Amino acid sequence: MRYQPIKKDLFIKNRKNFMAQMKPSSIAIFNSNDIYPIGADSTIPFQQDRNLYFLSGIDQDSSILLLFPDAPKEKHREILFLTETNEHIAVWEGEKYTKEKAFEASGVKTVYWLKDLHKVLHEIMSQCDTVYINTNEHYRANVETETRETRFNKWLLEKYPAHQTAKSNPILQRLRSVKDPLEIEVMQQACNITEKGFRRVLDFVKPGVWEYEIEAEFMHEFLRNRSRGFSYTPIVASGQNANVLHYIENKMQCKEGELILLDVGAEYANYSSDMSRTIPVSGRFTKRQKEVYNAINKVKNIAQDMLVPGTFWEQYHVEVGKLMTSELLDLGLLDKADVQNEDPDWPAYKKYFMHGTSHHIGLDTHDYGILHEPMQANQVFTVEPGIYIPAEGFGIRLEDDLVIQEKGSPVNLMGNIPIEAEEIEDLMNQ
């Protein structure tokens, strides 16, 4: 892989924590993602299933992890099934895991080739009562494609209908939402790469550049720092484009006097970063632009200090809404009548700030986490308030990634990325 290997201690610990919550006499099975076709012989670049990676560190297609903490044979308590490599595969597709390399990456001692899966699984299924299956239950999930995991689960339940089933997802939601120090180190690396890209862009932007050229500057810096690229489809939105929340065409020319809303983040070792900044094409904010910018930054700074253990996500958003309402009143975008007559289900501030303020981030940009449970130390959240004003031709969003601490304010993984309006201007006019 392009990235520097993560210590296998992380994946050993993750498996231990997962298995500690499994029922007696149960197994859990996790499949890699497919390599998805585009057409003819073309494919989308492979990305690993995040749950399998979280538990094994294996970053290769056609891989299966099986966990069986009560296995009669000690060697069957953790098993990897991998594609058998050979000289032909090495020449045409490149290096794949040997059994030794798989152990170095994962800490799993027992590695079988995939051709032995059915034989080994038949033995193991006769020794267990319950099978944990891996399903995607993220609150934003909308999956139309049948995944390798889904196909395997259907086959397994047809082949072994007498077994009880359980879901891996509730366990993983909690485990993945609280980050290990090693994970936070990797996320910091992703954020540091994002910083390099942003500083490069500050030096590059001027009237007349195209949004896609800015995207290319980020990609250049990301790739040269061992990132695979963007954590998610980047948003480079100048002028009115910033008022389209998920504008991803990045096709317009940036004009003098406009603002550019940047929502980008580098991935590193499958971990995400998620940054939003808004910068002036001409290198200087107008008085009105800076007024709105500073109001958003004020809300962000207060909101991020609310990220402490015990905070509930839903109530947190209510409090941020109150902060934003106050700022919108001061900016003249709302008046007291707007607030007095607001719909409680769609408060007045939502006219200008219609999305949420924070989400979990980790292996996925919108990472796993149970939103009705209180926040905990070492969870990582974004904070991303914004104000969008089509009538004035601009939208502004600011966003950082923050680690909740046992006590005190969260640690900002993007604290080294310029955000103050004056600093942005200074860097753009050096």
Side-chain angles (χ1 to χ4, degrees), residues 159-189:
K159 179 74 174 176
Y160 300 100
H163 283 70
Q164 299 176 32
T165 58
K167 299 190 299 182
S168 299
N169 194 266
I171 302 175
L172 287 165
Q173 289 264 16
R174 290 186 174 87
L175 291 182
R176 280 182 50 181
S177 72
V178 180
K179 304 313 190 239
D180 184 272
L182 280 172
E183 291 182 284
I184 293 172
E185 284 181 22
V186 176
M187 293 183 70
Q188 182 67 75
Q189 179 71 356

Side-chain angles (χ1 to χ4, degrees), residues 107-120:
V108 176
K109 296 176 182 177
T110 302
V111 180
Y112 290 111
W113 300 130
L114 267 177
K115 65 183 182 182
D116 297 320
L117 172 65
H118 289 185
K119 179 179 69 176
V120 176

Side-chain angles (χ1 to χ4, degrees), residues 76-296:
H76 282 171
R77 291 174 189 173
E78 297 181 348
I79 305 173
L80 280 171
F81 295 92
L82 304 174
T83 301
E84 183 174 5
T85 190
N86 55 46
E87 290 182 6
H88 177 79
I89 290 173
V91 169
W92 284 90
E93 300 179 24
E95 182 182 5
K96 291 187 178 291
Y97 290 110
T98 62
K99 292 183 178 182
E100 294 75 22
K101 291 288 186 182
F103 170 71
E104 289 175 14
S106 67
V108 176
K109 296 176 182 177
T110 302
V111 180
Y112 290 111
W113 300 130
L114 267 177
K115 65 183 182 182
D116 297 320
L117 172 65
H118 289 185
K119 179 179 69 176
V120 176
L121 187 60
H122 183 75
E123 176 186 347
I124 286 173
M125 292 298 283
S126 70
Q127 299 167 347
C128 72
D129 300 319
T130 302
V131 180
Y132 281 84
I133 59 173
N134 184 29
T135 53
N136 183 356
E137 298 178 30
H138 190 276
Y139 65 100
R140 295 190 183 199
N142 183 22
V143 181
E144 295 184 6
T145 303
E146 185 175 61
T147 64
R148 182 184 182 90
E149 193 81 76
T150 302
R151 294 196 306 275
F152 182 86
N153 290 342
K154 286 166 65 174
W155 170 82
L156 187 73
L157 297 179
E158 289 176 5
K159 179 74 174 176
Y160 300 100
H163 283 70
Q164 299 176 32
T165 58
K167 299 190 299 182
S168 299
N169 194 266
I171 302 175
L172 287 165
Q173 289 264 16
R174 290 186 174 87
L175 291 182
R176 280 182 50 181
S177 72
V178 180
K179 304 313 190 239
D180 184 272
L182 280 172
E183 291 182 284
I184 293 172
E185 284 181 22
V186 176
M187 293 183 70
Q188 182 67 75
Q189 179 71 356
C191 291
N192 290 346
I193 296 170
T194 302
E195 178 204 2
K196 291 178 180 180
F198 181 59
R199 290 184 182 275
R200 181 187 183 97
V201 162
L202 289 178
D203 190 51
F204 173 77
V205 166
K206 60 184 180 299
V209 302
W210 294 77
E211 293 168 345
Y212 56 77
E213 292 180 305
I214 297 170
E215 179 180 344
E217 292 297 306
F218 275 111
M219 180 60 96
H220 180 102
E221 202 64 35
F222 290 178
L223 292 179
R224 71 195 297 262
N225 283 279
R226 292 180 175 268
S227 168
R228 180 170 50 208
F230 294 98
S231 299
Y232 50 93
T233 306
I235 296 170
V236 182
S238 60
Q240 285 285 13
N241 294 334
N243 293 311
V244 180
L245 294 183
H246 291 108
Y247 170 81
I248 56 173
E249 286 83 1
N250 304 344
K251 64 181 181 181
M252 301 298 289
Q253 193 171 30
C254 304
K255 299 180 177 62
E256 187 172 352
E258 289 183 335
L259 298 181
I260 309 170
L261 192 159
L262 306 165
D263 191 335
V264 303
E267 74 80 44
Y268 185 77
N270 291 310
Y271 283 84
S272 295
S273 64
D274 189 356
M275 177 199 76
S276 293
R277 292 291 187 270
T278 306
I279 64 175
V281 175
S282 305
R284 299 283 180 193
F285 295 96
T286 66
K287 180 181 178 182
R288 176 59 168 173
Q289 289 169 349
K290 187 176 287 189
E291 186 180 38
V292 176
Y293 187 102
N294 288 336
I296 296 166

Side-chain angles (χ1 to χ4, degrees), residues 14-31:
N14 290 345
R15 290 195 298 277
K16 179 180 178 182
N17 290 339
F18 184 92
M19 289 191 287
Q21 298 187 49
M22 292 173 64
K23 296 177 181 181
S25 188
S26 65
I27 67 170
I29 303 177
F30 302 88
N31 277 266

